């Protein structure tokens, strides 16, 4: 993985760790990033559906995984 230094609000990190049941700070941050990516993908899919593409979420995510 990539090593980096982050300045993160301690209360926010503790709450995220507790709610996600992550064992480490790194796992917590990685889960948060993964959730943010999934959210952005869903928002993009909803935008595409609104434009008449009508793609199912499962199809969109499968196609994205193949990239």
């Amino acid at each position: 993985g990539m090593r980096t230094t982050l300045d993160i609000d301690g209360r926010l990190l503790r709450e995220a760790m507790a709610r996600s049941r992550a064992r480490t700070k790194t796992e917590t941050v990685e889960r948060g990033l993964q959730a943010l990516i999934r959210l952005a993908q869903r928002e993009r899919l909803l935008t595409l559906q609104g434009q008449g593409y009508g793609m199912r979420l499962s199809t969109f995510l499968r196609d994205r995984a193949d990239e």
Side-chain angles (χ1 to χ4, degrees):
M2 182 178 93
R3 230 170 142 70
T4 190
T5 301
L6 302 171
D7 184 18
I8 300 175
D9 181 308
R11 287 179 298 166
L12 185 63
L13 183 59
R14 284 190 299 276
E15 183 175 354
M17 287 182 77
R19 290 180 181 266
S20 68
R21 296 187 178 145
R23 295 174 304 234
T24 66
K25 294 174 187 174
T26 298
E27 183 180 359
T28 304
V29 171
E30 287 176 351
R31 285 184 184 191
L33 292 171
Q34 290 165 351
L36 184 61
I37 291 167
R38 284 191 305 274
L39 177 62
Q41 288 173 334
R42 285 186 193 112
E43 288 175 350
R44 175 74 175 136
L45 177 60
L46 290 174
T47 299
L48 291 174
Q49 284 179 331
Q51 295 172 359
Y53 289 94
M55 188 183 308
R56 292 179 50 128
L57 178 60
S58 59
T59 302
F60 176 76
L61 295 177
R62 185 192 68 229
D63 292 349
R64 294 280 299 164
D66 291 340
E67 291 180 1

